[in-house]
């Protein structure tokens, strides 16, 4: 075992901040100077830079990634009687949002190789939703851990049944599939700027991406209380979901170094894979896909907890994403599950472990982590 005494961080925002702190401070000072704290000029600038980054027609910022999902479904009129298909192995926000609108989250399983939505499970669930008297309305393929789902295959199934495709890219902004960048897929894509995300602010933030101009217009209205042409003319029911100007200013600076950080994340993942790939089940990235590596998640089977304890004893942080499938959680157990079950979604919580992942991990740190994992095995 290598000797390593410096503290390790699971996500090191301080290292990133040190790199651009002077620019961040100047950006914040600029906001303090002009005083437009809500919907200031930096918000529009950041949205335009998101458009430039993705080459999508419209990028609309909002208060957080959960609101982003909600706003899109509100724009589509999703509500009671509608089925929204969601992989059972993901964060609760994907299911929470349709449930809050009175729609029915309908859980489907994931693929064992990518942890992303299983197309056959989705296809079967469509027919079963109809049998239960529900209208198949939306599918939310989640790009888990930074790897895009197979949106092309999902879209082909969805279009045959007039189902909207809402890509949950909260963990995958900056990734791509066959050179198509996240933000340009599906009928709409959402993302989150939560601090620990690959592109994160220093608070909460989110965005919606779409090429549909009519949808973009409705989204822009909904995030501002359903505002019409005038401030006090509210034409539809909306939300108060605006990205703070100061967060937009911070994200503008972070976006400038984001492409370089994506490359660094990939190098970290390549190091992990080269050292651990022969001993444990490491993440699989299909040909033509590029992950942004929001997480680097091993599948360790029954040894998971003992390996985690060993890492902890050496001061190496690790996280279980996610300890329970959505279909197993008390608040969601009453929602329908595809008849073939969500076996993989319910098995993975006992096997997965995510290692430290950020652009500023050194080779010495990575060597220490890998040696600890191998020693525990």
């Amino acid at each position: 075992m290598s000797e390593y005494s410096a503290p390790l961080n699971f996500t090191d925002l301080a290292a990133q901040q040190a790199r651009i702190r002077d620019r961040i401070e100047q950006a914040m000072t600029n906001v303090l100077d002009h005083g437009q704290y809500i919907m200031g000029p930096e918000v529009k600038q950041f949205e335009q830079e998101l458009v430039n980054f993705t080459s999508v027609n419209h990028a609309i910022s909002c208060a957080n990634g959960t609101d982003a999902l909600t706003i899109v479904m509100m724009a589509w009129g999703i509500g009671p009687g509608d089925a929204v298909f969601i992989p059972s192995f993901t964060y609760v926000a994907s299911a929470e949002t349709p449930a809050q609108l009175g729609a029915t989250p309908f859980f489907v399983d994931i693929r064992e190789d990518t942890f992303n939505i299983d197309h056959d499970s989705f296809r079967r669930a469509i027919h079963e939703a109809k049998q239960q008297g529900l209208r198949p309305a939306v599918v939310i393929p989640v790009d888990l851990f930074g790897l895009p789902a197979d949106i092309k295959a999902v879209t082909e199934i969805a279009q045959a049944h007039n189902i909207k495709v809402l890509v949950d890219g909260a963990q995958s902004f900056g990734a791509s599939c066959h050179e198509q960048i996240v933000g340009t897929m599906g009928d709409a894509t959402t993302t989150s700027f939560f601090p620990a995300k690959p592109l994160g602010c220093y608070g909460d933030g989110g965005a919606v991406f779409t090429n549909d101009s009519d949808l973009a217009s409705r989204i822009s209205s909904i995030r501002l209380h359903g505002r019409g042409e005038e401030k006090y003319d509210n034409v539809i029911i909306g939300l108060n979901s605006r990205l703070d100007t100061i967060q937009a200013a911070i994200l503008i600076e972070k976006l400038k170094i984001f492409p370089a950080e994506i490359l660094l994340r990939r190098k970290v993942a390549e190091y992990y894979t080269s050292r651990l790939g022969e001993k444990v089940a490491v993440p699989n990235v299909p040909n033509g896909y590029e992950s942004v590596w929001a997480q680097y998640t091993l599948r360790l089977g029954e040894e998971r907890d003992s390996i985690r304890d060993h890492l902890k004893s050496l001061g190496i942080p690790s996280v279980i994403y996610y300890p329970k499938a959505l279909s197993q959680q008390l608040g969601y157990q009453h929602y329908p599950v595809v008849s073939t079950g969500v076996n993989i979604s319910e098995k993975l919580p006992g096997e997965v472990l995510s290692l430290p992942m950020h652009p500023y991990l050194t080779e010495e740190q990575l060597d220490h982590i890998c040696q600890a994992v191998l020693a525990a095995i």
Side-chain angles (χ1 to χ4, degrees), residues 113-170:
D113 57 344
T114 64
F115 300 170
N116 284 331
I117 191 168
D118 181 273
H119 315 133
D120 292 333
S121 183
F122 168 45
R123 186 183 289 108
R124 178 181 288 270
I126 295 170
H127 298 290
E128 293 176 357
K130 292 178 180 178
Q131 291 171 353
Q132 295 177 30
L134 297 169
R135 182 180 77 89
V138 179
V139 60
I140 303 181
V142 179
D143 296 342
L144 204 67
F145 302 150
L147 178 68
D150 187 348
I151 304 303
K152 181 180 179 181
V154 170
T155 300
E156 288 174 356
I157 297 169
Q159 287 180 342
H161 298 274
N162 197 31
I163 295 171
K164 296 288 189 183
V165 178
L166 175 53
V167 179
D168 185 340

Side-chain angles (χ1 to χ4, degrees), residues 174-189:
S176 63
C177 172
H178 299 292
E179 299 185 353
Q180 188 174 7
I181 195 166
V182 169
T184 61
M185 296 178 252
D187 295 293
T189 298

Side-chain angles (χ1 to χ4, degrees), residues 136-247:
V138 179
V139 60
I140 303 181
V142 179
D143 296 342
L144 204 67
F145 302 150
L147 178 68
D150 187 348
I151 304 303
K152 181 180 179 181
V154 170
T155 300
E156 288 174 356
I157 297 169
Q159 287 180 342
H161 298 274
N162 197 31
I163 295 171
K164 296 288 189 183
V165 178
L166 175 53
V167 179
D168 185 340
Q171 300 179 21
S172 66
F173 184 70
S176 63
C177 172
H178 299 292
E179 299 185 353
Q180 188 174 7
I181 195 166
V182 169
T184 61
M185 296 178 252
D187 295 293
T189 298
T190 65
T191 198
S192 166
F193 302 123
F194 183 79
K197 294 293 192 288
L199 179 64
C201 54
Y202 293 151
D204 262 324
V208 180
F209 304 86
T210 184
N211 286 317
D212 184 333
S213 296
D214 290 338
L215 178 62
S217 178
R218 287 180 64 81
I219 289 168
S220 294
S221 172
I222 289 169
R223 69 168 172 172
L224 297 172
H225 298 286
R227 178 176 172 174
E229 293 297 325
E230 301 295 333
K231 180 176 181 180
Y232 297 109
D233 177 25
N234 302 298
V235 295
I236 53 177
I237 295 174
L239 297 174
N240 178 15
S241 185
R242 301 166 296 203
L243 180 67
D244 291 339
T245 306
I246 204 160
Q247 299 299 345

